[in-house]
Amino acid sequence: VRCCGEALSYASPELKQDKDLVRIAVATTGESLHFAHKSLQKDRELVELAMSTTPNAFRIAGKVLRKEPDLAKRAIDADIDLIRYCDPDLLKDVQFMKYCVQK
């Protein structure tokens, strides 16, 4: 997995729940978060690590994390098109939207 994070896609369901293994995979390529167990897609530490290599990994983050303004802003700073993956409630927040429009 260290060589190619996408190797996680071939791991057993049990290994896709192994946080240490998923950490190695997302550190290599954030897209490998897609292959992690859903519970780990809600883990802020793993999502932040995935976004550090691949900001687009924000779209894979659990719904709760896509509600968090600071995480959403980091995604949008990297690519304004990621706004489409923000939680709808966040898009109703005037301060958040002011931040986005100024990008």
Side-chain angles (χ1 to χ4, degrees):
V1 177
R2 189 175 304 276
C3 170
C4 178
E6 292 183 13
L8 186 62
S9 67
Y10 299 101
S12 70
E14 294 79 20
L15 289 178
K16 290 179 180 182
Q17 294 181 55
D18 183 294
K19 187 172 179 174
D20 291 330
L21 182 64
V22 172
R23 183 181 294 114
I24 293 168
V26 299
T28 304
T29 176
E31 286 292 324
S32 59
L33 184 64
H34 175 75
F35 305 111
H37 188 269
K38 296 252 185 244
S39 65
L40 295 179
Q41 293 173 357
K42 299 173 188 174
D43 184 292
R44 184 178 180 103
E45 174 195 349
L46 292 176
V47 170
E48 287 179 338
L49 182 58
M51 288 177 62
S52 73
T53 61
T54 311
N56 200 27
F58 177 73
R59 65 185 173 76
I60 304 165
K63 184 176 179 173
V64 171
L65 292 178
R66 288 185 281 124
K67 271 185 181 184
E68 294 191 16
D70 60 319
L71 203 58
K73 286 177 183 177
R74 280 203 287 166
I76 288 164
D77 285 345
D79 183 354
I80 189 65
D81 288 336
L82 291 173
I83 195 171
R84 73 181 70 195
Y85 299 103
C86 292
D87 185 88
D89 288 339
L90 193 54
L91 301 177
K92 295 175 187 173
D93 181 293
V94 69
Q95 294 303 321
F96 178 76
M97 289 308 299
K98 282 181 182 179
Y99 179 87
C100 294
V101 213
Q102 294 173 346
K103 289 274 90 212

